[in-house]
Amino acid sequence: MAGHDATVWAPTKLKVGSFDKIGVLVAKVGPAGELLLQSIRWGIFGTGPVAEKFVLALKSLPGASVELVVSRTASKAGAFAQRHGIPIVRTQYVLEPSDPVDIVYIATPPSEHLAHALAAIAAGKGVLIEKPFAASRADAARILEAARAAGVFCMEAMWTRFLPALTKARRLLADGAIGEVRSLWASFAVSQRVEPASSLFSKASGGGALAHRGVYPVSLALDLLGPAQLGAAAARIGETGVDEDVSATLIHSCGAVSHVHAGLRSQADNTLVILGDHGRLAFQGPIYRPTGIVITRFQPRGPEQFRGGLISRLKETSAAQVTRTHLASLLARPRVHAAPYAGNGYGHEALAAMEAMRAGELEHTGMSHADTLATAELLDQIRDSWRTTSRSEGS
């Protein structure tokens, strides 16, 4: 494994029968008959809220340890290390091959991902890079090429793809639960105060609705419906220069159409719905962290006919319309497929990365290098094509 000067084995309370839950070739029996896991040692770049959540998730995973944290602000790095018991604290995003780290989780602003990823890779460390993976497809390609050349693991941290609900959704779609898939509607928009210095609203840091929130519906649309090209896009640019609202239409190779929306200044329902000719699939819970899948089945209708006469007229009365709507909702009978996630949800992607590394893989099929490039390509297309109306232009 790249980055290991010697394989580290850690005691675990897992039983032999649980090998299949944590990956292949990850454990051995120690000299006293105890079960040992091949340890994966993590470094953390960045000390923001997402990094906090990720480290909390790592603490619940067998065979994972956090050995190093880096932040340019010494006080932030020190406080983060103290909260989580991390032994090595740095203020420069530079690693040495001898550092006791196998993989680096990069949770810095998107504008920094390229430099920070290349620094970790140059030291022979694997990387798990927060979404958006990079500021552009060109930057994403540079990172992936460097990782392949160095022979180290590299993956985009699109954690939602690794949640149990997504596994359930893929299986239901493959089984034809809603018939032929026709379209997808997905949104992620939360109304926030404008804070120019924050990464969300800072153009220099790679801010904007598309980068921080639109990446979710775009990536999930590609995951669930397959390859796509941009149909159309539009955005509203705010006073800090970033896109505050953006909508796009994607045309998939299968013929389906996706409608995605992201926002920093408005509130959406933040869910994902897929429509088929025999049903509807919807996330239970928010788009970024669903807890299950709801399937509603129906039969396609024939042409409507109005025959006239008393019965036809009665059908158009208020009472009849209310009754008809109520009966239709009863007949729909939505079925909930529960798929809860473990802990705060971030552990699933970390576990996937560790499984792949233990198996000697350089990428994970759940978020492959090709998946990352396809997402980055669409994000570039959306940025290049939208017609914008800034706050000053609209006033």
Side-chain angles (χ1 to χ4, degrees):
M1 185 184 302
H4 263 82
D5 50 355
T7 301
V8 177
W9 298 90
T12 176
K13 295 180 180 179
L14 290 173
K15 298 179 180 179
V16 173
S18 63
F19 276 27
D20 59 333
K21 297 180 181 179
I22 56 175
V24 182
L25 302 175
V26 299
K28 70 176 184 179
V29 178
E34 74 278 23
L35 187 63
L36 302 176
L37 272 180
Q38 189 175 353
S39 179
I40 300 292
R41 304 167 296 179
W42 289 82
I44 308 296
F45 279 13
T47 56
V50 176
E52 295 271 7
K53 296 175 183 178
F54 186 80
V55 170
L56 288 173
L58 284 178
K59 290 181 178 181
S60 68
L61 300 181
S65 65
V66 183
E67 304 296 335
L68 175 148
V69 62
V70 183
S71 172
R72 288 196 180 98
T73 306
S75 59
K76 289 183 178 179
F80 191 98
Q82 185 174 21
R83 282 193 298 275
H84 299 292
I86 302 173
I88 303 173
V89 180
R90 300 265 177 86
T91 56
Q92 297 293 324
Y93 290 97
V94 178
L95 294 178
E96 298 295 335
S98 58
D99 285 330
V101 169
D102 303 306
I103 181 170
V104 178
Y105 172 67
I106 297 176
T108 50
S111 59
E112 304 286 342
H113 286 183
L114 174 62
H116 293 167
L118 293 180
I121 291 168
K125 314 303 182 184
V127 287
L128 178 64
I129 306 171
E130 259 306 329
K131 76 219 112 29
F133 185 80
S136 66
R137 187 195 184 282
D139 284 358
R142 283 189 62 188
I143 294 171
L144 295 173
E145 289 167 5
R148 285 193 289 265
V152 299
F153 178 81
C154 180
M155 189 176 88
E156 182 174 6
M158 177 49 72
W159 66 305
T160 306
R161 284 198 181 207
F162 295 93
L163 298 181
L166 268 294
T167 301
K168 181 70 70 174
R170 295 183 198 105
R171 184 176 301 117
L172 288 166
L173 291 173
D175 290 344
I178 61 172
E180 181 187 4
V181 173
R182 307 293 300 180
S183 64
L184 176 149
W185 299 74
S187 62
F188 188 5
V190 179
S191 182
Q192 307 214 203
R193 294 188 300 272
V194 177
E195 298 180 4
S198 73
S199 61
L200 288 178
F201 290 96
S202 169
K203 189 173 183 179
S205 297
L210 180 65
H212 287 269
R213 291 181 180 156
V215 65
Y216 280 90
V218 169
S219 182
L220 295 178
L222 293 175
D223 180 13
L224 296 170
L225 271 61
Q229 293 294 319
L230 179 65
R236 177 174 179 175
I237 306 302
E239 54 196 24
T240 67
V242 304
D243 52 296
E244 294 182 343
D245 298 279
V246 57
S247 294
T249 300
L250 313 179
I251 312 300
H252 294 267
S253 299
C254 66
V257 178
S258 286
H259 309 272
V260 299
H261 177 77
L264 300 178
R265 302 290 307 284
S266 59
Q267 185 72 43
D269 57 4
N270 297 335
T271 190
L272 182 147
V273 177
I274 300 176
L275 305 178
D277 62 354
H278 280 73
R280 174 179 183 270
L281 180 152
F283 279 9
Q284 183 180 50
I287 183 173
Y288 51 87
R289 189 156 50 189
T291 59
I293 301 298
V294 181
I295 295 290
T296 304
R297 293 275 300 173
F298 55 76
Q299 291 297 322
R301 296 182 181 182
E304 186 174 6
Q305 297 180 352
F306 187 86
R307 294 186 173 85
L310 178 61
I311 293 178
S312 293
R313 292 195 298 273
L314 288 175
K315 286 182 178 179
E316 300 306 310
T317 63
S318 297
Q321 293 293 311
V322 170
T323 301
R324 184 176 182 176
T325 300
H326 181 63
L327 286 174
S329 65
L330 290 177
L331 292 173
R333 291 178 296 182
R335 181 181 176 187
V336 177
H337 298 261
Y341 50 81
N344 64 8
Y346 286 87
H348 293 278
E349 67 175 353
L351 187 59
M354 294 195 299
E355 288 175 347
M357 290 185 69
R358 286 167 174 150
E361 303 292 342
L362 301 184
E363 60 184 309
H364 194 286
T365 56
M367 188 70 208
S368 69
H369 293 176
D371 293 334
T372 288
L373 289 175
T375 302
E377 174 69 27
L378 268 177
L379 296 183
D380 275 1
Q381 290 179 15
I382 293 171
R383 291 189 193 96
D384 291 343
S385 69
W386 62 36
R387 293 171 297 177
T388 62
T389 302
S390 71
R391 187 177 302 280
S392 58
E393 292 171 342
S395 60

